[in-house]
Amino acid sequence: MIKKIILASLCLALLSGAAFAAGGADKAAAETVVLKMGDNIPDRAAGWGAVIEKINADFKALHPQVQIVTESYQDQAWQEKVKIYATANQLPDVIKYWSFSTLLKPLVDGNFVEPLDMATFQKFGYMAGSLEGNVYNGKLYGIPVSGDLWVIYVNKKLFADAGVALPATWEDVVASVPKFKAKNIVPLVTDGKDGWPLSIMYDNVIQRVTGSFANVDAAITRKAKFTDSEFVQAAKYIQTAVKAGIFQADLVTSDYGASRNLFGQERAAMYLMGSWEMGLAVDPNFSQAFRDNLDVIKFPVIAGGKGKADDLVAWFGGNYILNAKSKNKALALEYLKLYAEKFPAYAWDAQAAFPAQKVTPKATDTIVAKKLLQIAAEAKTTSGTTGLDRSTAAFKEVHQDLMRQLVAGIVTPEAFCAQLDAAAEKASKE
Amino acid sequence: MRSLFEDKKTVAVLAIPPVAIMLFAIMAPLLVSLYFSFMKWSGFGAIKFIGLRNYVELLTADKVFVRSLLNAVALMLVTIFLQNPVAFAVAATLTRLGEKSSRLLRTIYFIPATLSLVVVTKLWVNIFNPTYGILNKILKLAGMEDIAIAWLSDTRTALWSVIWIMIWQGFGWALLFYYSGLMTLPKEIEEAARVDGANRMQLYTKIVIPYLLPVIQAVIVIDVVSSLKQMEIIYLSTEGGPGFYTQFIAVYLYQKAFKYSEYGYGNAISVVFVLIAVALTIAIQRAFKKMSDE
Amino acid sequence: MKTNESAIASRAFGRAVMWIFLAVLAAAQIFPLLWVFSYSLQKSGDLFGPEFFKLPVDPQWNNYFLAWTNGRIPLYLANTLLIVIPSVTLSTVLSFCLAYACSRMTWKLQPLVWFIITVGLTIPIHTTLLPNFIWYRFFGLIDTRLGLVISYVAFSLSFNTIIFAGLLSGIPRSMEESAFIDGASYAAILPKIIAPMAATGFATVGVQTFLNHWNEFIMANTYISTELKRTLPFSIIRFQGQYSSQYAIQFACMALVALPPLALYFIFNRWILAGVAAGAVKG
């Protein structure tokens, strides 16, 4: 009996020794480093996603032992994931995240973000003010990747079908509703489920009423109140326009992908979104006819309002940040530097995105790209960071919630403003 | 001999593993939840003890919480007073049909209940879509364009649309419960009643339903609890919108934690949720006990 | 004479109404699936066409192939099986053991354990989603298939134990007693004598638990973050961004995901019925 036990244990010991040795040998042979990334760009075959894949391929050529694994979700889903990952301390090495004061700052405060060296990145041709927007307590916490302009994409063919001219004022838009409806075309679409496009629209309408971008900031810093007349007027204007039918019927349940698809499938004449969607002009998922008829116009003005079309809502967005708790920090930093170096040229070549860095326009640029450059050049004033991103994360959520309720007709403009003001008050105390 | 049914070692082997799993995966997390319900925490970073503040805000100042309870009640009422009677009537009808037709129909009626909630929800989201959904297409073809609206986005119809999805999916289970209950009814009772001159109506109301009270009770308890528990269908369709018109408790607590980064508050909702579910179940069982005693 | 005729006529009318109603109901239950299935075989753009139902004249079987690849079905399917087979087995076996201990054996803590079982029935799974983030993380169970198995088993124990308890209570004590007299121990009695008598229970509990665990979504979605470990329902969620315009392929994916539970149901529906009878009527 005892002999059997000794023999068994000996065999076991030998086997485990062999397994360890083999495992060790394996380890020494293929030291593949996995670099984990995350972003909100699920489409990797076209547009921005394809540009990133190209950069990834370049990186792999420089660092053959690295394997890049990327997780991508739509906007809101990605935000949720980042929060879940942060809670479980499982953030990827490099992530695309944005909106410093509301989304990034909690991560920075939680020591999840690695500070970057400003001097290193300044040589990549960033536009004035772009890097500075990510500086907190004197440290740079992320690199901005896009210059975001708030515009309206239009499908010229649908306008021609309905016999409508491109709108210069919001009154034009409202007037065009019956003509579009007669042809079964949705006049305007945007992502109403997530709410932030509506919040940005609110900012923009306020400016069109008052002629200044300073009002929103004043209300947030409590030098003014959201219950002041200009804010109520802007809210009322939006609610009236929505009731007149300018948006898709299921606005509040259309998420980012759904609204974009409505436009791409040529069911809608206009798409209220940012310059990062310039890739629509080259998106192979949609028909050539759609791409050929795509154009972009400035956010319309309001009749009798003080704001002009050249007052542009624009900010720097889409930051890339480094996970401070990453096990591959040096490699991740190399990746960021490569990204900063390659992104502007690749993105502009592919006509996929509007970088926060300087680009060289070409004759082969799409109409959309040329127009965006023109809109940016003609801008007389710009807004900087939008209102919902100037305060706390809680304020942003309330802002979005209230906008959704406003367009759904659940809340009156007065009540909307009162609740928004209460939220701003609460946020200012934190 | 008796002692073998009391053998402690066997009881330990049989009972400890499953109970341990339940304590580990259900009871312990609930205690963790209770702990965090007294905290203010965003999910990462500093945790701050704030005592009962979450509960106070939840029970006195939370409009959305109240709305989610009301929505659950709306679902309960539709389920108990619409879906169940239809299921019962259909079950009764099926018991009178031939075996083949009965089996075929039962199979068809139960199909939605086998589907994943992801499939069910995405299915109906597509059907309700105002642009390409089949519901609106049929309405437009029938000339009823005025009501071809955005079912899941319109404040008037959003709640009833999601409730429809829920009762569509659950119909098969209710039917199955009532059918199996009816099948256990001894034929003699029916015949005796017929001999006594009872008509169909009296047969059902005076004899069958009282006989099936345990089944009805089981179904109602399950319906009440599942009305409260609704989560996936809302999460994958309206996410509580428009506004908070289709909000349900389980979705709300999930959003409070992962969307609004109010982890402590979300846990407070969790705790209250458990208490409501347990209290409601006990209340219904007591009510039925009284009914069957009478 | 007249009364008879009108009685027969009205009964025929009644029967017609009944059949129409049953048929409409069947249509309501099935038509949505048929709609999805039909459009899964067409081009995504066809969905936006004016007709409300179109039979696929040119079936795009390729959609199913694309759903299989774009929806990453093989990977997710493998994960689902890796989770569901252990969880269903464990749940069935453990609930049988627990039911036996609670319904046929006498011990001091029995009422307390039975109380835990009945309370467990009312606890919604979503109330553990938040705390498990901390609790499971502490034990390294976050983002693991094992963590899901444990949660699935825990939540199915209550219902399954109640079903088994109902079945077992009908067995006369003489079964065990005569076996004891013959010198058998529990290790032999339970699997060889008692279990076969509860065979329908095993089938029912097994099938029902399988359906539930196979379709489970929210826990898998919340706990599992690594792409390589995701489960089957997630394949439908993949259709966003680049794929969100591929409606037909998403529909094909939905059809594929719906298939296994449907097939299982068709094969085993007898036991589902029996289990419902055992649970509802006796429990």
Side-chain angles (χ1 to χ4, degrees), chain A residues 236-259:
Chain A
K236 203 173 274 183
Y237 197 87
I238 293 182
Q239 193 175 62
T240 316
V242 174
K243 276 210 186 108
I246 59 174
F247 279 115
Q248 71 266 43
D250 54 345
L251 176 64
V252 288
T253 50
S254 282
D255 64 13
Y256 194 89
S259 54

Side-chain angles (χ1 to χ4, degrees), chain A residues 75-92 95 97 102-104 106-107 112 393-394 396-397 400, chain B residues 41-45 254-263, chain C residues 133 137:
Chain A
D75 198 354
Q76 190 67 31
W78 172 235
Q79 287 182 39
E80 248 180 51
K81 267 297 157 177
V82 171
K83 291 181 191 160
I84 292 180
Y85 283 155
T87 309
N89 196 10
Q90 285 185 315
L91 280 172
I95 68 172
Y97 216 37
T102 59
L103 295 180
L104 268 175
L107 286 183
F112 283 102
K396 178 178 177 144
E397 292 298 337
Q400 288 170 183
Chain B
W41 192 39
S42 65
F44 46 88
Y254 194 84
Q255 285 178 344
K256 271 289 170 184
F258 297 122
K259 192 162 145 194
Y260 299 90
S261 295
E262 291 180 51
Y263 189 76
Chain C
F133 251 89
R137 202 204 328 168

Side-chain angles (χ1 to χ4, degrees), chain B residues 5 107 109 114 123 137 168 263, chain C residues 22 28-29 36 47 49 130 215:
Chain B
F5 286 106
T107 310
Y109 293 147
T114 63
L123 175 68
K137 279 197 185 163
W168 180 82
Y263 189 76
Chain C
L22 289 177
Q29 296 287 86
V36 163
L47 196 58
L130 303 187
N215 285 333

Side-chain angles (χ1 to χ4, degrees), chain C residues 69-162:
Chain C
T69 48
N70 288 351
R72 299 199 87 170
I73 290 188
L75 173 65
Y76 296 161
L77 181 61
N79 284 325
T80 300
L81 285 171
L82 274 175
I83 294 171
V84 171
I85 293 180
S87 71
V88 172
T89 317
L90 263 178
S91 180
T92 313
V93 170
L94 288 179
S95 57
F96 172 75
C97 296
L98 189 59
Y100 187 86
C102 284
S103 65
R104 300 183 72 73
M105 303 194 74
T106 337
W107 37 296
K108 244 198 321 190
L109 290 175
Q110 193 263 10
L112 176 64
V113 170
W114 190 253
F115 177 72
I116 293 180
I117 295 173
T118 35
V119 166
L121 207 52
T122 59
I123 309 270
I125 61 172
H126 312 104
T127 55
T128 58
L129 282 175
L130 303 187
N132 271 343
F133 251 89
I134 311 296
W135 185 239
Y136 273 14
R137 202 204 328 168
F138 185 70
F139 290 96
L141 286 172
I142 265 292
D143 197 28
T144 60
R145 285 175 281 240
L146 178 61
L148 277 183
V149 171
I150 295 178
S151 275
Y152 287 1
V153 171
F155 278 101
S156 49
L157 277 176
S158 286
F159 189 73
N160 294 347
T161 306
I162 292 177

Side-chain angles (χ1 to χ4, degrees), chain C residues 236-255:
Chain C
I236 304 176
I237 309 290
R238 277 183 66 81
F239 286 89
Q240 44 176 8
Q242 134 189 35
Y243 304 116
S244 66
S245 56
Q246 300 174 338
Y247 295 105
I249 304 179
Q250 185 185 39
F251 284 9
C253 191
M254 281 161 63

Side-chain angles (χ1 to χ4, degrees), chain C residues 2-278:
Chain C
K2 255 212 184 138
T3 344
N4 258 353
E5 275 171 13
S6 61
I8 294 176
S10 68
R11 208 181 303 155
F13 179 71
R15 281 192 85 83
V17 169
M18 177 195 82
W19 279 106
I20 292 178
F21 179 70
L22 289 177
V24 168
L25 196 62
Q29 296 287 86
I30 270 203
F31 187 69
L33 284 157
L34 293 175
W35 180 70
V36 163
F37 183 64
S38 160
Y39 274 92
S40 72
L41 287 172
Q42 301 180 38
K43 302 210 185 81
S44 298
D46 289 343
L47 196 58
F48 287 88
E51 63 283 302
F52 77 88
F53 190 79
K54 207 169 113 179
L55 280 174
V57 283
D58 177 24
Q60 308 274 317
W61 292 106
N62 192 44
N63 287 345
Y64 277 84
F65 174 71
L66 285 171
W68 184 263
T69 48
N70 288 351
R72 299 199 87 170
I73 290 188
L75 173 65
Y76 296 161
L77 181 61
N79 284 325
T80 300
L81 285 171
L82 274 175
I83 294 171
V84 171
I85 293 180
S87 71
V88 172
T89 317
L90 263 178
S91 180
T92 313
V93 170
L94 288 179
S95 57
F96 172 75
C97 296
L98 189 59
Y100 187 86
C102 284
S103 65
R104 300 183 72 73
M105 303 194 74
T106 337
W107 37 296
K108 244 198 321 190
L109 290 175
Q110 193 263 10
L112 176 64
V113 170
W114 190 253
F115 177 72
I116 293 180
I117 295 173
T118 35
V119 166
L121 207 52
T122 59
I123 309 270
I125 61 172
H126 312 104
T127 55
T128 58
L129 282 175
L130 303 187
N132 271 343
F133 251 89
I134 311 296
W135 185 239
Y136 273 14
R137 202 204 328 168
F138 185 70
F139 290 96
L141 286 172
I142 265 292
D143 197 28
T144 60
R145 285 175 281 240
L146 178 61
L148 277 183
V149 171
I150 295 178
S151 275
Y152 287 1
V153 171
F155 278 101
S156 49
L157 277 176
S158 286
F159 189 73
N160 294 347
T161 306
I162 292 177
I163 291 196
F164 271 126
L167 274 171
L168 289 172
S169 57
I171 300 175
R173 287 260 164 124
S174 50
M175 285 282 132
E176 288 103 326
E177 282 165 1
S178 45
F180 286 146
I181 293 175
D182 288 343
S185 71
Y186 264 120
I189 295 177
L190 279 178
K192 294 210 174 89
I193 301 179
I194 304 293
M197 299 192 76
T200 55
F202 276 98
T204 305
V205 163
V207 171
Q208 218 157 274
T209 313
F210 188 92
L211 272 179
N212 287 338
H213 292 184
W214 183 275
N215 285 333
E216 203 286 324
F217 168 69
I218 198 66
M219 280 198 266
N221 185 50
T222 311
Y223 297 152
I224 301 283
S225 40
T226 317
E227 173 68 11
L228 286 171
K229 298 184 198 163
R230 289 200 198 281
T231 55
L232 200 56
F234 200 80
S235 61
I236 304 176
I237 309 290
R238 277 183 66 81
F239 286 89
Q240 44 176 8
Q242 134 189 35
Y243 304 116
S244 66
S245 56
Q246 300 174 338
Y247 295 105
I249 304 179
Q250 185 185 39
F251 284 9
C253 191
M254 281 161 63
L256 284 176
V257 172
L259 215 53
L262 260 178
L264 202 77
Y265 168 63
F266 283 134
I267 303 173
F268 292 107
N269 72 47
R270 221 175 356 125
W271 283 300
I272 297 180
L273 188 61
V276 166

